[in-house]
């Protein structure tokens, strides 16, 4: 399999980045939902640090993925129907935007409560903020709202894949597996 995309399909790098990001984002959502119900304490604090570290990994991979996407064009769309191609593009760019928004809002949520941004115990980015609980709650609410947008995009993405695979009889899954 070629590393780069071809006119007929995605290359190994695009496929790997897609699935790594998908697993990472799904893990971040699951972890966020789980720890949201935990009482304050050491377990929750450890999970928040893991969640924050994983968010920084996600933004790093997202930057790499966007760089790869710009320098390595995608294969031709499976659908020749313009509104479907436009909607697919909007959903994909929506994912990129929401993931970036989630990392920024989550990071600001931590920084404004007075925490540094950890990266798996290797280093941390120091907070430039004094503890400000009003600002913390503002960013926390935006972060939680962002997950709702992410969920809508996820359902739209999976729905489109299934539509093209089952109804359109296109090789949608084959292109990304």
């Amino acid at each position: 399999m070629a590393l780069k995309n071809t006119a007929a399909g995605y290359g190994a790098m695009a496929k790997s980045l897609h699935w790594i990001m998908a697993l990472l984002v799904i893990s971040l959502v699951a972890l966020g939902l789980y720890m949201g119900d935990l009482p304050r304490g050491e377990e929750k604090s450890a999970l928040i640090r893991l969640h924050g570290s994983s968010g920084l990994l996600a933004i790093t991979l997202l930057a790499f993925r966007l760089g790869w996407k710009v320098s390595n064009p995608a294969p031709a769309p499976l659908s020749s129907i313009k509104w479907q191609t436009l909607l697919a593009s909007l959903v994909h760019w929506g994912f990129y935007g929401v993931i970036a928004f989630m990392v920024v809002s989550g990071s600001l949520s931590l920084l404004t409560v007075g925490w540094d941004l950890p990266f798996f115990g290797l280093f941390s980015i120091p907070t430039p903020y004094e503890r400000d609980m009003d600002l913390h709650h503002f960013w926390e609410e935006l972060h939680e709202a962002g997950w709702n947008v992410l969920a809508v995009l996820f359902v739209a993405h999976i729905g489109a894949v299934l539509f093209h695979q089952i109804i359109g009889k296109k090789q949608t899954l084959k292109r990304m597996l």
Side-chain angles (χ1 to χ4, degrees), residues 77-129:
L78 288 174
S79 175
S80 59
I81 302 170
K82 290 187 187 224
W83 70 265
Q84 288 180 353
T85 303
L86 176 63
L87 193 56
S89 181
L90 289 173
V91 168
H92 285 111
W93 285 103
F95 269 128
Y96 304 144
V98 171
I99 290 168
F101 172 80
M102 294 294 287
V103 172
V104 169
S105 60
S107 297
L108 286 168
S109 176
L110 284 179
L111 291 170
T112 55
V113 81
W115 285 28
D116 295 340
L117 287 180
F119 190 74
F120 301 108
L122 300 173
F123 64 87
S124 59
I125 300 168
T127 183
Y129 298 102

Side-chain angles (χ1 to χ4, degrees), residues 147-164:
W147 123 256
N148 293 312
V149 176
L150 191 63
V152 169
L153 291 170
F154 181 78
V155 169
H157 183 64
I158 298 303
V161 168
L162 293 173
F163 172 82
H164 286 298

Side-chain angles (χ1 to χ4, degrees), residues 15-131:
K15 289 178 183 180
S16 297
L17 288 169
H18 174 271
W19 290 109
I20 290 168
M21 286 293 296
L23 290 172
L24 181 58
V25 169
I26 290 168
S27 297
L28 279 162
V29 168
L31 182 58
L33 291 172
Y34 172 74
M35 71 183 189
D37 291 333
L38 289 177
R40 288 184 181 170
E42 188 51 42
E43 179 186 12
K44 186 169 187 168
S45 294
L47 291 176
I48 289 171
R49 285 191 292 277
L50 175 62
H51 189 75
S53 295
S54 299
L56 289 179
L57 178 60
I59 199 73
T60 303
L61 288 172
L62 178 63
F64 185 77
R65 184 171 184 184
L66 289 173
W68 185 260
K69 183 176 184 67
V70 168
S71 66
N72 189 32
L78 288 174
S79 175
S80 59
I81 302 170
K82 290 187 187 224
W83 70 265
Q84 288 180 353
T85 303
L86 176 63
L87 193 56
S89 181
L90 289 173
V91 168
H92 285 111
W93 285 103
F95 269 128
Y96 304 144
V98 171
I99 290 168
F101 172 80
M102 294 294 287
V103 172
V104 169
S105 60
S107 297
L108 286 168
S109 176
L110 284 179
L111 291 170
T112 55
V113 81
W115 285 28
D116 295 340
L117 287 180
F119 190 74
F120 301 108
L122 300 173
F123 64 87
S124 59
I125 300 168
T127 183
Y129 298 102
E130 296 292 323
R131 185 178 178 94

